[in-house]
Amino acid sequence: MRAQFVLSEIGVGLRRNLTMTFAVIVSVALSLALAGGSLLAREQVNTMKGYWYDKVQVSIYLCNKNDASSDPNCAKGAVTEPQKKKIKNELDEMNVVDKVYYESSDAAYKHYKKQFKDSPLADSLTPDQMQESYRVKLNDPTKYQVLQTAFSGREGVQEVQDQRSLLENLFNLLNGMNIAALCVMALMLVVALLLIVNTVRVSAFSRRRETGIMRLVGASSFYIQMPFILEAAIAGLIGAGLACVLLLGAKYFLIDSWLAEKIVLINFIGWDAVIKVLPFVVAVGVLMPAVAAFFTLRKYLRV
Amino acid sequence: MIRFDSVSKSYPKQNRPALREVSLEIVRGEFVFLVGSSGSGKSTFLRLILREERASQGRVHVLGKDLARLSNWKVPQMRRQLGTVFQDFRLLTNKTVGENVAFALEVIGKSRGQIRKTVPEVLDLVGLGGKGDRMPGELSGGEQQRVAIARAFANRPMLLIADEPTGNLDPQTSVGIMKLLDRINRTGTTVVMATHDQQIVDQMRKRVVELEMGRLVRDQTRGVYGYQH
């Protein structure tokens, strides 16, 4: 295979179809940016869920010695061993309860550190400031009230918290946006595919003389098809590059410079999450047009 | 070199088969004219040899290979041993004469050195020595056909297929082209040529195969275009 020959063919092809190539690049860029964005939104949800979210529904936070001064529920000081035992026994006997986990303050600190590793909040706490807690998995998630009435206000208990009510709305919103983004992405992807198919078809048609002669003199179909496939892949690669720029730009301008300034308490996805998505974006951006071109050529460039 | 064993070919949506039970053998070094009116099956015959089509029935052997059993990806390899020439020349008008010949060698992966050596050689052979830098549009029809023949012959094929190569040329130019094809034939290349040109066939006195309505109706060594009435 003569690289120079193939390269010059590609150059000619891309220039001949400049408007179509441009359309392919833009549609690939947009659909991939949306795809990457929706992956990142999912990542964002996972980041916010923390360690317990998918395992339990209710958290019973126990008082620690620091709370005694700040929180009226804990006026009597830190929770004692007998209090803890009693709570545990009662939880075990309740039939709405499926499973009970105990989280020590050390474990709580570890989970916290992990979740907020990218945030300045991570360094502001020490292990002994963390609360011990019972994390309860219910048979029926809607039965949160039962635990609320049983344990809130009890000595040693700071708060009974329905984990879900806290984040559920936000997650619903994010999921809704995610689904919308995926729908738009699917449409853009269809547009991109149709554009690629059409571009390749026009390209094959405008070069039918060359390809006809190539066939006659016995060029392999690989050799005949390669310029077309590379053409599509290069357009896809440029589109994917633009999509990457869009994603990085969104992280920098939208999240870091804007959202993170306004909302301090939410832990946003870090650069590592964004960078992890990029190879996927590039791979899809190159492979999808190449495969689409390959199948188009099977139809329009018979051996 | 070429063997047809009771080959039939029908195209979908057509009642009459394009070829019916054609059997024939062409051996190495022969020069064969393929004659018959339009629609008699000449083109189908040539397309079967080039494996642009596959036979509906019967077997086609070309260069010792059963084309029915030849897998798609081996077809290009087979075609490299054939040369093809057409009535409409099929040159690339945006490339020079030399580049047209070189293109055929490039796309089958010949090295640059080999191409640089072969192109002038083969242009000399067809009588276009020194015209390698001209554009096809600047040449006469006869010269353009010579370029096409040079391209077909550049890879030294065992077999040259010509589909009415003189169809667009005046009689005098045609004689020149026929002389060239004859010379190529003398180097040992088998030539199969479909034609309507009575004068040429009568002059050359080569083997003549006639098709009519898809049937082989005549196969004469040293024949003429039509029956003598």
mmCIF file of all heavy atoms in Angstrom, chain A residues 212-246:
data_model
loop_
_atom_site.group_PDB
_atom_site.id
_atom_site.type_symbol
_atom_site.label_atom_id
_atom_site.label_comp_id
_atom_site.label_asym_id
_atom_site.label_seq_id
_atom_site.Cartn_x
_atom_site.Cartn_y
_atom_site.Cartn_z
ATOM 1 N N GLY A 212 -13.727 2.424 -10.972
ATOM 2 C CA GLY A 212 -13.995 1.445 -12.027
ATOM 3 C C GLY A 212 -12.697 0.922 -12.625
ATOM 4 O O GLY A 212 -12.522 -0.286 -12.810
ATOM 5 N N ILE A 213 -11.777 1.845 -12.888
ATOM 6 C CA ILE A 213 -10.491 1.436 -13.451
ATOM 7 C C ILE A 213 -9.705 0.613 -12.441
ATOM 8 O O ILE A 213 -9.085 -0.396 -12.781
ATOM 9 C CB ILE A 213 -9.684 2.680 -13.892
ATOM 10 C CG1 ILE A 213 -10.371 3.326 -15.095
ATOM 11 C CG2 ILE A 213 -8.257 2.305 -14.240
ATOM 12 C CD1 ILE A 213 -9.903 4.717 -15.401
ATOM 13 N N MET A 214 -9.764 1.042 -11.180
ATOM 14 C CA MET A 214 -9.058 0.284 -10.137
ATOM 15 C C MET A 214 -9.545 -1.153 -10.097
ATOM 16 O O MET A 214 -8.775 -2.107 -9.967
ATOM 17 C CB MET A 214 -9.243 0.953 -8.771
ATOM 18 C CG MET A 214 -8.459 2.241 -8.616
ATOM 19 S SD MET A 214 -9.029 3.213 -7.236
ATOM 20 C CE MET A 214 -7.856 2.759 -5.989
ATOM 21 N N ARG A 215 -10.861 -1.305 -10.192
ATOM 22 C CA ARG A 215 -11.430 -2.648 -10.195
ATOM 23 C C ARG A 215 -10.903 -3.465 -11.379
ATOM 24 O O ARG A 215 -10.504 -4.614 -11.237
ATOM 25 C CB ARG A 215 -12.949 -2.562 -10.293
ATOM 26 C CG ARG A 215 -13.671 -2.824 -9.001
ATOM 27 C CD ARG A 215 -15.084 -2.283 -9.026
ATOM 28 N NE ARG A 215 -15.685 -2.197 -10.354
ATOM 29 C CZ ARG A 215 -16.314 -3.183 -10.947
ATOM 30 N NH1 ARG A 215 -16.446 -4.333 -10.351
ATOM 31 N NH2 ARG A 215 -16.832 -3.017 -12.142
ATOM 32 N N LEU A 216 -10.906 -2.812 -12.536
ATOM 33 C CA LEU A 216 -10.502 -3.515 -13.752
ATOM 34 C C LEU A 216 -9.064 -4.003 -13.719
ATOM 35 O O LEU A 216 -8.754 -5.094 -14.172
ATOM 36 C CB LEU A 216 -10.659 -2.587 -14.960
ATOM 37 C CG LEU A 216 -12.048 -2.534 -15.549
ATOM 38 C CD1 LEU A 216 -12.072 -1.534 -16.675
ATOM 39 C CD2 LEU A 216 -12.451 -3.913 -16.050
ATOM 40 N N VAL A 217 -8.191 -3.159 -13.175
ATOM 41 C CA VAL A 217 -6.793 -3.560 -13.187
ATOM 42 C C VAL A 217 -6.449 -4.430 -11.979
ATOM 43 O O VAL A 217 -5.311 -4.839 -11.828
ATOM 44 C CB VAL A 217 -5.839 -2.343 -13.247
ATOM 45 C CG1 VAL A 217 -6.096 -1.542 -14.493
ATOM 46 C CG2 VAL A 217 -5.968 -1.495 -12.007
ATOM 47 N N GLY A 218 -7.437 -4.701 -11.153
ATOM 48 C CA GLY A 218 -7.230 -5.686 -10.091
ATOM 49 C C GLY A 218 -6.741 -5.110 -8.777
ATOM 50 O O GLY A 218 -6.055 -5.783 -8.019
ATOM 51 N N ALA A 219 -7.129 -3.837 -8.487
ATOM 52 C CA ALA A 219 -6.831 -3.329 -7.153
ATOM 53 C C ALA A 219 -7.727 -4.053 -6.156
ATOM 54 O O ALA A 219 -8.881 -4.330 -6.457
ATOM 55 C CB ALA A 219 -7.085 -1.826 -7.094
ATOM 56 N N SER A 220 -7.182 -4.370 -4.989
ATOM 57 C CA SER A 220 -7.995 -5.083 -4.003
ATOM 58 C C SER A 220 -9.085 -4.152 -3.490
ATOM 59 O O SER A 220 -8.931 -2.937 -3.500
ATOM 60 C CB SER A 220 -7.123 -5.550 -2.844
ATOM 61 O OG SER A 220 -6.560 -4.444 -2.204
ATOM 62 N N SER A 221 -10.183 -4.732 -3.039
ATOM 63 C CA SER A 221 -11.283 -3.873 -2.590
ATOM 64 C C SER A 221 -10.864 -3.072 -1.364
ATOM 65 O O SER A 221 -11.300 -1.949 -1.173
ATOM 66 C CB SER A 221 -12.539 -4.689 -2.301
ATOM 67 O OG SER A 221 -12.215 -5.871 -1.660
ATOM 68 N N PHE A 222 -9.969 -3.643 -0.565
ATOM 69 C CA PHE A 222 -9.422 -2.897 0.570
ATOM 70 C C PHE A 222 -8.769 -1.604 0.083
ATOM 71 O O PHE A 222 -9.005 -0.526 0.608
ATOM 72 C CB PHE A 222 -8.396 -3.782 1.282
ATOM 73 C CG PHE A 222 -7.697 -3.117 2.415
ATOM 74 C CD1 PHE A 222 -8.355 -2.892 3.606
ATOM 75 C CD2 PHE A 222 -6.371 -2.730 2.303
ATOM 76 C CE1 PHE A 222 -7.710 -2.279 4.662
ATOM 77 C CE2 PHE A 222 -5.720 -2.122 3.356
ATOM 78 C CZ PHE A 222 -6.386 -1.891 4.534
ATOM 79 N N TYR A 223 -7.968 -1.742 -0.973
ATOM 80 C CA TYR A 223 -7.254 -0.600 -1.516
ATOM 81 C C TYR A 223 -8.216 0.425 -2.102
ATOM 82 O O TYR A 223 -8.010 1.632 -1.975
ATOM 83 C CB TYR A 223 -6.309 -1.106 -2.610
ATOM 84 C CG TYR A 223 -5.154 -0.198 -2.885
ATOM 85 C CD1 TYR A 223 -3.923 -0.425 -2.298
ATOM 86 C CD2 TYR A 223 -5.291 0.883 -3.742
ATOM 87 C CE1 TYR A 223 -2.859 0.398 -2.550
ATOM 88 C CE2 TYR A 223 -4.225 1.714 -4.002
ATOM 89 C CZ TYR A 223 -3.007 1.472 -3.412
ATOM 90 O OH TYR A 223 -1.962 2.292 -3.659
ATOM 91 N N ILE A 224 -9.269 -0.066 -2.733
ATOM 92 C CA ILE A 224 -10.240 0.841 -3.336
ATOM 93 C C ILE A 224 -11.035 1.577 -2.263
ATOM 94 O O ILE A 224 -11.307 2.766 -2.366
ATOM 95 C CB ILE A 224 -11.202 0.067 -4.265
ATOM 96 C CG1 ILE A 224 -10.414 -0.593 -5.399
ATOM 97 C CG2 ILE A 224 -12.262 0.991 -4.849
ATOM 98 C CD1 ILE A 224 -11.251 -1.468 -6.307
ATOM 99 N N GLN A 225 -11.377 0.849 -1.199
ATOM 100 C CA GLN A 225 -12.268 1.425 -0.182
ATOM 101 C C GLN A 225 -11.534 2.285 0.838
ATOM 102 O O GLN A 225 -12.121 3.171 1.448
ATOM 103 C CB GLN A 225 -13.008 0.304 0.541
ATOM 104 C CG GLN A 225 -13.952 -0.438 -0.375
ATOM 105 C CD GLN A 225 -14.637 -1.573 0.325
ATOM 106 O OE1 GLN A 225 -14.308 -1.915 1.448
ATOM 107 N NE2 GLN A 225 -15.595 -2.179 -0.349
ATOM 108 N N MET A 226 -10.249 1.990 1.025
ATOM 109 C CA MET A 226 -9.513 2.657 2.103
ATOM 110 C C MET A 226 -9.623 4.183 2.076
ATOM 111 O O MET A 226 -9.923 4.781 3.113
ATOM 112 C CB MET A 226 -8.048 2.189 2.044
ATOM 113 C CG MET A 226 -7.212 2.473 3.262
ATOM 114 S SD MET A 226 -8.038 2.358 4.831
ATOM 115 C CE MET A 226 -8.366 0.652 4.985
ATOM 116 N N PRO A 227 -9.414 4.849 0.916
ATOM 117 C CA PRO A 227 -9.513 6.309 0.936
ATOM 118 C C PRO A 227 -10.878 6.802 1.419
ATOM 119 O O PRO A 227 -10.943 7.758 2.198
ATOM 120 C CB PRO A 227 -9.296 6.699 -0.535
ATOM 121 C CG PRO A 227 -8.573 5.563 -1.129
ATOM 122 C CD PRO A 227 -9.037 4.344 -0.410
ATOM 123 N N PHE A 228 -11.934 6.133 1.014
ATOM 124 C CA PHE A 228 -13.282 6.567 1.434
ATOM 125 C C PHE A 228 -13.463 6.390 2.937
ATOM 126 O O PHE A 228 -13.997 7.257 3.624
ATOM 127 C CB PHE A 228 -14.350 5.743 0.700
ATOM 128 C CG PHE A 228 -14.356 5.945 -0.786
ATOM 129 C CD1 PHE A 228 -13.673 5.083 -1.611
ATOM 130 C CD2 PHE A 228 -15.041 7.003 -1.345
ATOM 131 C CE1 PHE A 228 -13.674 5.264 -2.978
ATOM 132 C CE2 PHE A 228 -15.051 7.198 -2.717
ATOM 133 C CZ PHE A 228 -14.358 6.322 -3.530
ATOM 134 N N ILE A 229 -13.019 5.240 3.432
ATOM 135 C CA ILE A 229 -13.197 4.957 4.855
ATOM 136 C C ILE A 229 -12.362 5.920 5.698
ATOM 137 O O ILE A 229 -12.838 6.482 6.686
ATOM 138 C CB ILE A 229 -12.824 3.490 5.153
ATOM 139 C CG1 ILE A 229 -13.853 2.563 4.493
ATOM 140 C CG2 ILE A 229 -12.759 3.228 6.646
ATOM 141 C CD1 ILE A 229 -13.534 1.104 4.620
ATOM 142 N N LEU A 230 -11.123 6.149 5.259
ATOM 143 C CA LEU A 230 -10.268 7.073 6.011
ATOM 144 C C LEU A 230 -10.835 8.488 5.966
ATOM 145 O O LEU A 230 -10.776 9.218 6.949
ATOM 146 C CB LEU A 230 -8.848 7.051 5.447
ATOM 147 C CG LEU A 230 -8.038 5.812 5.818
ATOM 148 C CD1 LEU A 230 -6.656 5.871 5.198
ATOM 149 C CD2 LEU A 230 -7.921 5.679 7.322
ATOM 150 N N GLU A 231 -11.407 8.833 4.808
ATOM 151 C CA GLU A 231 -12.038 10.148 4.680
ATOM 152 C C GLU A 231 -13.105 10.340 5.752
ATOM 153 O O GLU A 231 -13.119 11.339 6.466
ATOM 154 C CB GLU A 231 -12.701 10.200 3.313
ATOM 155 C CG GLU A 231 -12.507 11.455 2.540
ATOM 156 C CD GLU A 231 -13.103 11.280 1.163
ATOM 157 O OE1 GLU A 231 -12.417 10.693 0.312
ATOM 158 O OE2 GLU A 231 -14.256 11.684 0.963
ATOM 159 N N ALA A 232 -13.979 9.337 5.862
ATOM 160 C CA ALA A 232 -15.046 9.412 6.862
ATOM 161 C C ALA A 232 -14.449 9.431 8.262
ATOM 162 O O ALA A 232 -14.883 10.202 9.129
ATOM 163 C CB ALA A 232 -16.003 8.234 6.708
ATOM 164 N N ALA A 233 -13.424 8.602 8.483
ATOM 165 C CA ALA A 233 -12.836 8.515 9.822
ATOM 166 C C ALA A 233 -12.168 9.825 10.202
ATOM 167 O O ALA A 233 -12.245 10.252 11.363
ATOM 168 C CB ALA A 233 -11.834 7.373 9.877
ATOM 169 N N ILE A 234 -11.542 10.480 9.230
ATOM 170 C CA ILE A 234 -10.866 11.746 9.540
ATOM 171 C C ILE A 234 -11.891 12.829 9.877
ATOM 172 O O ILE A 234 -11.742 13.559 10.856
ATOM 173 C CB ILE A 234 -9.972 12.183 8.362
ATOM 174 C CG1 ILE A 234 -8.725 11.297 8.342
ATOM 175 C CG2 ILE A 234 -9.574 13.648 8.483
ATOM 176 C CD1 ILE A 234 -7.834 11.517 7.154
ATOM 177 N N ALA A 235 -12.979 12.875 9.078
ATOM 178 C CA ALA A 235 -14.047 13.830 9.406
ATOM 179 C C ALA A 235 -14.567 13.543 10.810
ATOM 180 O O ALA A 235 -14.790 14.463 11.609
ATOM 181 C CB ALA A 235 -15.174 13.732 8.385
ATOM 182 N N GLY A 236 -14.741 12.248 11.123
ATOM 183 C CA GLY A 236 -15.216 11.855 12.454
ATOM 184 C C GLY A 236 -14.233 12.259 13.535
ATOM 185 O O GLY A 236 -14.631 12.726 14.605
ATOM 186 N N LEU A 237 -12.951 12.097 13.237
ATOM 187 C CA LEU A 237 -11.924 12.433 14.222
ATOM 188 C C LEU A 237 -11.943 13.926 14.538
ATOM 189 O O LEU A 237 -11.861 14.329 15.704
ATOM 190 C CB LEU A 237 -10.549 12.022 13.690
ATOM 191 C CG LEU A 237 -9.368 12.281 14.625
ATOM 192 C CD1 LEU A 237 -9.482 11.397 15.847
ATOM 193 C CD2 LEU A 237 -8.054 12.011 13.922
ATOM 194 N N ILE A 238 -12.110 14.737 13.488
ATOM 195 C CA ILE A 238 -12.180 16.184 13.716
ATOM 196 C C ILE A 238 -13.411 16.511 14.557
ATOM 197 O O ILE A 238 -13.344 17.290 15.514
ATOM 198 C CB ILE A 238 -12.216 16.943 12.372
ATOM 199 C CG1 ILE A 238 -10.920 16.669 11.597
ATOM 200 C CG2 ILE A 238 -12.391 18.436 12.597
ATOM 201 C CD1 ILE A 238 -10.919 17.211 10.188
ATOM 202 N N GLY A 239 -14.545 15.862 14.209
ATOM 203 C CA GLY A 239 -15.765 16.059 14.999
ATOM 204 C C GLY A 239 -15.552 15.667 16.448
ATOM 205 O O GLY A 239 -15.963 16.376 17.369
ATOM 206 N N ALA A 240 -14.892 14.523 16.655
ATOM 207 C CA ALA A 240 -14.649 14.044 18.016
ATOM 208 C C ALA A 240 -13.748 15.017 18.764
ATOM 209 O O ALA A 240 -13.959 15.282 19.956
ATOM 210 C CB ALA A 240 -14.013 12.659 17.973
ATOM 211 N N GLY A 241 -12.765 15.576 18.049
ATOM 212 C CA GLY A 241 -11.885 16.565 18.673
ATOM 213 C C GLY A 241 -12.685 17.767 19.155
ATOM 214 O O GLY A 241 -12.516 18.228 20.291
ATOM 215 N N LEU A 242 -13.615 18.223 18.306
ATOM 216 C CA LEU A 242 -14.461 19.363 18.702
ATOM 217 C C LEU A 242 -15.318 19.003 19.906
ATOM 218 O O LEU A 242 -15.493 19.810 20.819
ATOM 219 C CB LEU A 242 -15.353 19.780 17.532
ATOM 220 C CG LEU A 242 -14.676 20.574 16.426
ATOM 221 C CD1 LEU A 242 -15.663 20.890 15.314
ATOM 222 C CD2 LEU A 242 -14.127 21.869 17.004
ATOM 223 N N ALA A 243 -15.844 17.751 19.889
ATOM 224 C CA ALA A 243 -16.674 17.314 21.025
ATOM 225 C C ALA A 243 -15.852 17.347 22.308
ATOM 226 O O ALA A 243 -16.343 17.776 23.360
ATOM 227 C CB ALA A 243 -17.222 15.918 20.763
ATOM 228 N N CYS A 244 -14.593 16.899 22.240
ATOM 229 C CA CYS A 244 -13.726 16.912 23.421
ATOM 230 C C CYS A 244 -13.525 18.342 23.914
ATOM 231 O O CYS A 244 -13.587 18.618 25.119
ATOM 232 C CB CYS A 244 -12.365 16.284 23.090
ATOM 233 S SG CYS A 244 -12.458 14.520 22.821
ATOM 234 N N VAL A 245 -13.297 19.249 22.960
ATOM 235 C CA VAL A 245 -13.114 20.645 23.344
ATOM 236 C C VAL A 245 -14.372 21.169 24.034
ATOM 237 O O VAL A 245 -14.305 21.851 25.058
ATOM 238 C CB VAL A 245 -12.781 21.500 22.098
ATOM 239 C CG1 VAL A 245 -12.821 22.980 22.432
ATOM 240 C CG2 VAL A 245 -11.412 21.110 21.556
ATOM 241 N N LEU A 246 -15.538 20.796 23.481
ATOM 242 C CA LEU A 246 -16.804 21.232 24.094
ATOM 243 C C LEU A 246 -16.933 20.716 25.530
ATOM 244 O O LEU A 246 -17.328 21.447 26.435
ATOM 245 C CB LEU A 246 -17.995 20.735 23.261
ATOM 246 C CG LEU A 246 -18.290 21.496 21.975
ATOM 247 C CD1 LEU A 246 -19.412 20.826 21.198
ATOM 248 C CD2 LEU A 246 -18.669 22.928 22.309
#
